[in-house]
Amino acid sequence: MSEALLEVKGLKKHFETKKGMLHAIDGVDFAIREGETLGLVGESGCGKSTTGRAILRLHEPSSGQVLYRGEDVTRLSPARMKAMRRRMQIVFQDPYSSLNPRLPVAELIAEPLRVNRVYARKPEEAERVAAVMELVGLEARLIDSYPHELDGGRRQRIGIARALSVEPEFVVLDEPVSALDVCIQAQILNLMAELQRKLGLTYLFISHNLSVVKHVSDRIAVMYLGKIVELSDYKSIFVEPLHPYTQALLSAIPTTRPERRKERIILEGDVPSPIEPSPGCRFCGRCRYRRERCAAETPELREVGAGRFVACHYYDALGEKKGN
Amino acid sequence: MNDANAKPAAARRGRKGRVLEVWRRLKRNRLAMAGLAILAVLFLTALLADLVAPFPSDKQDLENTFSFPSRAHLFGTDEFGRDILSRVIHGSRISLSVGFLAVGFSVVIGGAIGAVAGFYGKRIDNVLMRFMDVLMSIPQILLAISIVAALGPGLWNLMIAVGISSIPGYARIVRASVLSIKDREYIEAARAAGSGDARIIFRHIVPNCLAPIIVQSTLGVATAILTAAGLSFIGLGIQPPTPEWGAMLSGGRGYIRDYWYMTLFPGLAIVFTILGLNVLGDGLRDALDPRLKSSR
């Protein structure tokens, strides 16, 4: 395995609200190896998008480190951060609101090139724009179109072209397909896989859709209420989920073979508020295996097997309990 | 790659091309073109006032006061026998420059204040907008009066006074649109590309809040002309023999029962200026918005 391209250590992002401090991300650790795709799943509001944005400092992290090839991104000066942005890009969820409606396709794609003064001469820039458009499968004739004239799939291709125009190594994909039709989702996912192969990209793939994440990820991190509860390679997570939340999540995936359906775990109650959360395990109020220690002590993410991490005090006791 | 080189026809139109495109869309809007024509005529007469006007603006003819519009005096004459047509023509210079320059001044300053307040938010927003609120709490005309009283009468001071007194309105409008736009994802995308604040404001936010600015400023020109007229009326603006539409309007007010043409013609001049501006402004707003391109 190649070394880590990006390492996130103890990343926190708190927002001040009128009701108190909102812990959007509360100490997240993971590493992404060069060339791999790390899937980040969780329900809405769990902080997965905030994590992606905090890594790129679109939201300034409250504390923690983001090491990119060993360099702490969170401490870079504005000038060096600007240079760093060429290496880390993002594709947004909504291709309708992520494109400036006043700019035609060519300007949208050229914008990062201009901001970073990549090319001194216009013809070179135009050539690069044309090359990126071809790379993502946008017809050259669309160069003067405006975003509102195009369908969701093409718009998302513009978003991808914009991110790739400056030749980044690492791309945060923030729910890149969840606003698209199912058939276009597949096209975009395949495009992204192809681009990763061709350009050697590293992805952080954020999604709430387990089947999409399963399709694209090498490893998967499951997030719940601002914390990562489980992180493993994609097979282990689907075959043998360790954290009670992951188990519940997986049991909710619809199956095409009802006769082989496993026990469905129905969670009780709601996700607790992320504003001034109580100490202890975040999941403890809804966990069917909870014990006293869970409410008192926050379980840390620890390695429990080769490349498998889980944040649960009693993950190994869960099997017995289930047997009872 | 080959594909891109093989098709030079797909090369983009560039900035010039987009200006032409806006013009083409504007041309299709007949109302806007009528507005443009009205304004063009007004500006031409203002520029060529000395050539177009039949009489000097201050030539008195005391035997011929209050004469009804006739062949010799198309718009009639006023209480000193001055030709109203000539005074309307010469007055266009003053009124148009007061209207446009004052509005230009307040749109630029007010817009900048509003954009900065909306974009940076928090304390900066609070300080700037409370200051604007203070200005707003004083009636516009009173504010203009106090400014012009402090600076002294004169064309430039009049424009500055009218301009400053309408700054808060623009600041509010721009701030509101900036607030609605700054959280869109494309602003975040610009930031992810490495854009600085200035580039984000001027390239991504301001173009997207042009519509309310255009509407407000076309109406603002009318208000500015009328405010200037009001100031002239109480002797703080344009000084008497100099012709100015607002001053003529208020000067003729006392005679409106018997000699209505003294107020009618300068009034019509103001009406046409505003009308032309409004329809042109509407057309321009639509032509500048690429989203509306196909809908017409």
Side-chain angles (χ1 to χ4, degrees), chain A residues 281 284-285 287-297 312-322 324:
Chain A
C281 177
C284 105
C287 181
R288 38 185 203 160
Y289 311 114
R290 67 173 168 268
R291 300 181 189 178
E292 256 169 53
R293 189 181 164 200
C294 297
E297 199 181 320
C312 178
H313 295 307
Y314 300 110
Y315 79 93
D316 45 355
L318 298 185
E320 306 159 23
K321 197 94 189 226
K322 243 191 269 179
N324 290 347

Side-chain angles (χ1 to χ4, degrees), chain A residues 53 58-59 82 85 88-90 92-94 97-104 106-107 111-112 114-116 127 130-131 134 140-141 143-144 146 148-149 162, chain B residues 1-5 7 10-14 18 25 184-186 188-189 191-196 199 203-204 207-208 210-211 288-294:
Chain A
R53 283 163 159 79
L58 294 177
H59 291 323
K82 189 174 168 184
R85 291 199 184 283
M88 324 165 68
Q89 278 293 320
I90 178 165
F92 291 92
Q93 168 176 13
D94 182 357
S97 71
S98 65
L99 302 173
N100 185 341
R102 299 247 169 194
L103 296 180
E107 302 268 317
E111 187 67 9
R114 291 196 194 152
V115 169
N116 292 295
E127 209 169 279
E134 183 170 336
R141 67 182 165 82
I143 199 157
D144 280 321
Y146 286 89
H148 70 97
E149 300 167 333
R162 172 174 63 190
Chain B
M1 215 49 227
N2 273 336
D3 200 35
N5 290 336
K7 276 190 206 157
R12 40 183 338 266
R13 289 193 297 259
R18 269 187 299 149
R25 269 183 269 157
R184 304 265 168 95
E185 269 186 340
Y186 59 82
E188 218 162 17
R191 201 173 285 295
S195 313
R199 190 178 178 91
R203 184 162 171 82
H204 298 287
N208 281 297
L210 273 182
L288 281 171
D289 190 343
R291 279 165 297 190
L292 295 173
K293 185 157 56 173
S294 41

